[in-house]
Amino acid sequence: GEAVTACVDGDRRAAIVLNHSATHLLHAALRRVLGEHVQQKGSLVAPDRLRFDFSHYEPVAPDELERIERLVNAQIRQNADAEISVMSFDEAIAAGALAFFGDKYGDSVRVLKLGDFSTELCGGTHVRRAGDIGFFKIVAESGVASGVRRIEAITGQGAFDWVLANDKLLR
């Protein structure tokens, strides 16, 4: 019966939103560049970065990383609406939504669609438009287990600051 006051840190949440939506674009780009066998195996969405673990049998080549990064940034520039809808699990799958953790979803699911590029089941918080992400930069790729790779990336102002710092170093 006690009263409580909840407060959301708006800046922190906004940064998390950018990284979370970017993971969906990254997943779709990985599948286009590396193949349909790619499936999410885990992720971290933090205010300052994102980490995305996925199934793949070898290190991702530098030219593939560049293609993935270019695809994600092209989607950001296209600035498609982030459409969220609620439907039955079967309707979502029939509509083309990716779902790799089927046993954790109920009869009614939330679907995030970013243009014609990414459609996945997701209950998280997202941008209103892909362009809100601003900029996407992959900063690392590594192996974490047999058949599981990891990409670490940054978005928005953090990504821009990273590019400026590296440009300054190069100069």
Side-chain angles (χ1 to χ4, degrees), residues 85-99 107-112 119-121:
S85 52
V86 177
M87 58 187 74
S88 75
F89 181 83
D90 291 338
E91 287 174 316
I93 299 305
L98 294 181
D107 292 335
S108 181
V109 295
R110 193 164 173 260
V111 178
L112 169 70
T119 305
E120 287 189 63
L121 302 188

Side-chain angles (χ1 to χ4, degrees), residues 15 18-19 47-48 132-136 154-164:
L18 302 183
N19 287 325
D48 61 335
D132 296 346
I133 297 167
F135 180 54
F136 172 85
I154 50 183
T155 62
Q157 187 62 48
F160 184 69
D161 291 344
W162 186 93
V163 169
L164 288 178

Side-chain angles (χ1 to χ4, degrees), residues 143-156:
V144 293
S146 178
V148 179
R149 306 299 301 173
R150 171 174 290 167
I151 285 184
E152 297 176 65
I154 50 183
T155 62

Side-chain angles (χ1 to χ4, degrees), residues 17 40 46 61 88 101 104 164 166:
V17 162
Q40 179 180 349
S88 75
F101 309 106
K104 90 176 198 181
L164 288 178
N166 278 278

